[in-house]
């Protein structure tokens, strides 16, 4: 019968075995789809653990220590953000007027980028560490020199620095809540505003920060002075994007549990917040964990930077304030920070991935697609919670909130008042959301919160993006 002969028995066995394998494999796939998703595995480094919640964990780097292999090994392994300790300050970058020198600043920047890290710029306008030529200026000459310095440094790093400390330490210590009496302040009370407007024009892509110390305690006059300035700037459209809290905690300026209130209050003004120079006298594991959890509790907290790698690298080495001992070994405080980051705001309100309703804390109503529409561009609203498929949202591992299986919760822009709508899923950052432990839902692209328009609670209230402020119209539970 030639080629038409029936297959032998060993061929039958192979076919039966192949079919069985296909069936078992298919069942395994179905089982894996039905199985509950696994939680994030605990990360083993600070930077990776912080990244789980969309934050960074950074350190200050000194160019002179880049030849120390223990120093660079720890810095490269643990941190994903870098701040130049002194090398981007005024005296280092413009030692003679109009003559810029970026040799050491570039050493740090290049090391960071080559090792996959981002860079914070520190600092552009400051009363301290001015070169002698600037310190001897006053009035309009000093004002112009400040403007020229900001333009010169930011031009060199345009598009490369994610955050700039535009102005540093401009407020006085003590109980006055007033500006510091510096040579820059004596050029006119608008000098800080001018610095920020100059910086925005020089590099529109960079986040522009005001940075200071002893503004962590909400009750202190200095804190309130800075808060009032930021509120005024936001009301008048002065381009300030973030506030940096240096967080040098010691016996003279101890950590207070109201630090979280401070972070939340500034964030409610519509600015991001960051912990920029953290060190804690004695490196208390509890205090380090508290500070970390404070950042994790505030959706607009961008991340944490410690001011140095090992105690021996610290400007306050006698206080043993950092996470690593002189020999590079990890302290108990390191473990407490890592545990806080791994247990931080990575679990969405109401649990992890899965389907369910998203209910407004203030309204008791659910996020709803009007009339069960499936049309791209339909703006979502509040409506009485029901069992309809138009209120069933599935959180994916990519951070999408899907409805109907193929439509995603989608931000139509990145500014306050942007409509939140459904749109065919395509993987963009405007369709990815960070669900935080404080109940806020933050757009990955915009950094703004899901918000019920006008603090509304009635059926039909539309949902938009708006600056996070912690109100009940911006807090949600998943059911």
């Amino acid at each position: 019968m030639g080629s038409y002969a029936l297959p032998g028995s060993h061929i039958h066995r192979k076919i039966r075995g192949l079919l069985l394998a296909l069936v078992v494999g298919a069942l395994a796939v179905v089982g894996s789809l039905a199985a509950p998703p696994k939680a994030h595995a605990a990360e083993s480094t600070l930077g990776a653990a912080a990244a789980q919640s969309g934050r960074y964990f950074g350190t200050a780097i000194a160019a002179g220590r880049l030849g120390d292999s223990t120093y660079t090994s720890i810095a490269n392994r643990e941190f994903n953000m870098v701040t130049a300790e002194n090398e981007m300050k005024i005296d280092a970058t413009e030692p003679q007027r109009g003559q810029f020198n970026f040799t050491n600043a570039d050493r740090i920047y290049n090391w960071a980028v080559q090792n996959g890290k981002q860079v914070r710029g520190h600092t552009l306008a400051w009363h301290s560490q001015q070169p002698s030529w600037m310190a001897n200026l006053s009035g309009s000459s000093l004002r112009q020199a400040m403007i020229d310095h900001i333009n010169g440094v930011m031009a060199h790093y345009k598009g490369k620095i994610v955050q700039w400390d535009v102005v540093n330490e401009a407020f006085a210590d003590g109980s006055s809540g007033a500006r510091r009496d510096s040579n820059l302040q004596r050029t006119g009370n608008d000098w800080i505003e001018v610095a920020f407007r100059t910086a925005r024009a020089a590099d529109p892509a960079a986040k522009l920060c005001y940075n200071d110390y002893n503004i962590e305690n909400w009750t202190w006059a200095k804190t309130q002075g800075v808060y009032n300035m930021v509120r005024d700037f936001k009301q008048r459209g002065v381009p300030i994007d973030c506030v940096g809290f240096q967080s040098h905690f010691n016996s003279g300026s101890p950590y207070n549990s109201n630090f979280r209130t401070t972070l939340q209050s500034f964030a409610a003004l519509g600015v991001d917040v960051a912990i920029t120079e953290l060190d804690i006298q004695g490196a208390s594991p509890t205090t380090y964990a508290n500070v970390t959890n404070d950042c994790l509790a505030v959706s607009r907290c961008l991340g944490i930077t410690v001011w140095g790698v090992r105690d021996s690298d610290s400007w306050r080495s006698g206080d043993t304030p950092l996470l690593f001992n002189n020999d590079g070994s990890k302290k108990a405080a390191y473990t407490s920070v890592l545990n806080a980051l791994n247990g931080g705001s990575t679990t969405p309100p109401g649990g992890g991935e899965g389907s369910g309703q998203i209910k407004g804390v203030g309204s008791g109503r659910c996020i709803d697609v009007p009339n069960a529409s499936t049309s791209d561009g339909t703006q979502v609203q509040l409506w009485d919670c029901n069992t309809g498929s138009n209120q069933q949202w599935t959180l994916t591992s990519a951070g999408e909130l899907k409805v109907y299986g193929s439509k995603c919760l989608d931000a139509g822009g990145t500014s306050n008042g942007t409509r939140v709508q459904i749109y065919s899923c395509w993987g963009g950052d405007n369709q990815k959301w960070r669900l935080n432990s404080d109940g806020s839902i933050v757009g990955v692209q915009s950094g703004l919160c899901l918000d019920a328009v006008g603090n509304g609670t009635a059926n039909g209230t539309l949902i938009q993006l708006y600056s996070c402020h912690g109100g009940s119209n911006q807090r949600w539970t998943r059911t």
Side-chain angles (χ1 to χ4, degrees), residues 69-97:
S69 60
T70 301
Y71 178 89
T72 54
S73 176
I74 296 170
N76 189 27
R77 180 187 74 225
E78 296 290 342
F79 304 107
N80 55 2
M81 180 72 79
V82 162
T83 305
E85 190 168 350
N86 289 293
E87 291 80 354
M88 290 187 185
K89 291 175 180 173
I90 308 167
D91 56 351
T93 52
E94 195 179 1
Q96 302 297 324
R97 187 168 189 177

Side-chain angles (χ1 to χ4, degrees), residues 178-229:
R179 298 277 187 91
R180 180 190 296 273
D181 180 24
S182 68
N183 62 345
L184 290 168
Q185 178 64 28
R186 290 191 292 273
T187 69
N189 201 55
D190 64 340
W191 76 273
I192 300 177
E193 176 177 344
V194 169
F196 274 91
R197 292 192 185 279
T198 303
R200 173 66 87 228
D203 188 353
K207 284 185 182 290
L208 307 181
C209 307
Y210 175 79
N211 191 57
D212 215 328
Y213 66 95
N214 283 357
I215 60 169
E216 295 80 18
N217 188 317
W218 180 242
T219 67
W220 286 6
K222 186 175 182 180
T223 307
Q224 294 301 311
V226 174
Y227 176 85
N228 289 334
M229 178 191 73

Side-chain angles (χ1 to χ4, degrees), residues 202-388:
D203 188 353
K207 284 185 182 290
L208 307 181
C209 307
Y210 175 79
N211 191 57
D212 215 328
Y213 66 95
N214 283 357
I215 60 169
E216 295 80 18
N217 188 317
W218 180 242
T219 67
W220 286 6
K222 186 175 182 180
T223 307
Q224 294 301 311
V226 174
Y227 176 85
N228 289 334
M229 178 191 73
V230 175
R231 180 173 59 186
D232 171 62
F233 280 9
K234 293 300 291 184
Q235 289 172 344
R236 294 193 294 111
V238 178
I240 184 170
D241 302 312
C242 51
V243 176
F245 299 82
Q246 292 184 15
S247 305
H248 298 297
F249 293 117
N250 53 62
S251 56
S253 179
Y255 169 81
N256 188 292
S257 60
N258 69 24
F259 184 35
R260 186 175 300 189
T261 298
T262 303
L263 296 175
Q264 290 170 331
S265 298
F266 275 86
L269 293 176
V271 292
D272 294 326
V273 293
I275 297 168
T276 56
E277 303 181 20
L278 179 64
D279 48 29
I280 299 173
Q281 185 176 21
S284 160
T286 300
T287 306
Y288 260 109
N290 287 340
V291 173
T292 304
N293 283 321
D294 288 341
C295 178
L296 290 170
V298 179
S299 61
R300 294 198 72 151
C301 185
L302 300 169
I304 298 171
T305 297
V306 288
W307 206 243
V309 178
R310 305 160 297 190
D311 283 340
S312 54
D313 308 312
S314 170
W315 69 307
R316 290 178 163 172
S317 57
D319 289 343
T320 60
L322 296 176
L323 300 176
F324 294 89
N325 293 304
N326 294 351
D327 63 0
S329 58
K330 300 171 182 176
K331 295 185 182 182
Y334 170 93
T335 303
S336 73
V337 170
L338 185 64
N339 289 342
L341 292 170
N342 277 322
S345 60
T346 58
T347 301
E353 297 172 24
S355 296
Q357 296 164 315
I358 301 174
K359 183 184 291 186
V361 169
S363 65
R365 292 189 163 92
C366 286
I367 295 181
D368 173 283
V369 184
N371 302 314
S373 171
T374 58
S375 299
D376 285 349
T378 301
Q379 187 170 6
V380 295
Q381 63 180 3
L382 291 179
W383 200 264
D384 292 332
C385 298
N386 56 62
T387 59

Side-chain angles (χ1 to χ4, degrees), residues 404-462:
Y404 311 134
S406 61
K407 301 291 183 179
C408 278
L409 195 67
D410 175 287
T414 58
S415 60
N416 280 342
T418 293
R419 62 190 287 124
V420 176
Q421 58 195 4
I422 62 166
Y423 212 87
S424 298
C425 299
W426 64 281
D429 283 348
N430 69 315
Q431 294 186 344
K432 295 177 182 176
W433 306 89
R434 189 168 71 244
L435 281 66
N436 297 309
S437 57
D438 64 357
S440 62
I441 300 179
V442 177
V444 168
Q445 183 184 62
S446 66
L448 302 179
C449 275
L450 276 191
D451 175 286
V453 172
N455 293 309
T457 59
N459 280 338
T461 298
L462 295 175

